[in-house]
């Protein structure tokens, strides 16, 4: 299993961070399709915490007022794309927060 942990400070407030976290999961669905299933990513919000799961991927993103923290676990063959997923999420955080 491969693990990615990223934190990014921001000044967009909790609402802005919440929107950015939603977009990260959407971007992962579009950018890294797994056949026609697009990793079958599904997410569930509890407060400011988004837990998401899919085929070979699980994670949590916390949208804080000043910091977004993303933790992603990749298993099976999907673990092979860890560097690519990590770069994409980091670039998204840097660009959108």
């Amino acid at each position: 299993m491969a693990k990615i942990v990223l934190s990014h400070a921001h000044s967009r407030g909790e609402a802005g961070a919440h929107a950015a976290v939603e977009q990260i999961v959407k971007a992962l669905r579009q950018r890294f399709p797994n056949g026609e299933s697009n990793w079958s990513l599904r997410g569930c919000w509890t407060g400011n915490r988004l837990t998401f799961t899919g085929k070979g991927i699980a994670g949590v993103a916390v949208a804080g007022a000043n910091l977004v923290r993303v933790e992603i676990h990749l298993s099976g063959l999907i673990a092979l794309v860890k560097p690519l997923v990590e770069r994409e999420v980091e670039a998204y955080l840097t660009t959108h927060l």
Side-chain angles (χ1 to χ4, degrees), residues 42-66:
R42 301 203 187 279
C44 178
W45 282 98
T46 304
N48 68 341
R49 180 183 177 101
L50 175 65
T51 303
F52 55 93
T53 59
K55 293 180 180 182
I57 184 171
V60 63
V62 179
N66 300 309

Side-chain angles (χ1 to χ4, degrees), residues 28-43:
L28 286 173
R29 274 190 208 114
Q30 294 172 347
R31 178 70 173 98
F32 301 103
N34 183 19
E36 293 182 23
S37 68
N38 291 331
W39 282 354
S40 299
L41 275 178
R42 301 203 187 279

Side-chain angles (χ1 to χ4, degrees), residues 13-94:
E14 216 169 286
H18 188 282
V21 166
E22 280 280 346
Q23 290 302 312
I24 289 169
V25 174
K26 183 178 179 181
L28 286 173
R29 274 190 208 114
Q30 294 172 347
R31 178 70 173 98
F32 301 103
N34 183 19
E36 293 182 23
S37 68
N38 291 331
W39 282 354
S40 299
L41 275 178
R42 301 203 187 279
C44 178
W45 282 98
T46 304
N48 68 341
R49 180 183 177 101
L50 175 65
T51 303
F52 55 93
T53 59
K55 293 180 180 182
I57 184 171
V60 63
V62 179
N66 300 309
L67 184 75
V68 168
R69 183 175 188 277
V70 180
E71 185 173 315
I72 302 171
H73 299 269
L74 303 170
S75 60
L77 292 176
I78 294 175
L80 298 174
V81 298
K82 177 192 179 226
L84 187 57
V85 173
E86 190 166 24
R87 275 194 309 270
E88 290 288 325
V89 172
E90 191 167 24
Y92 188 90
L93 290 171
T94 301

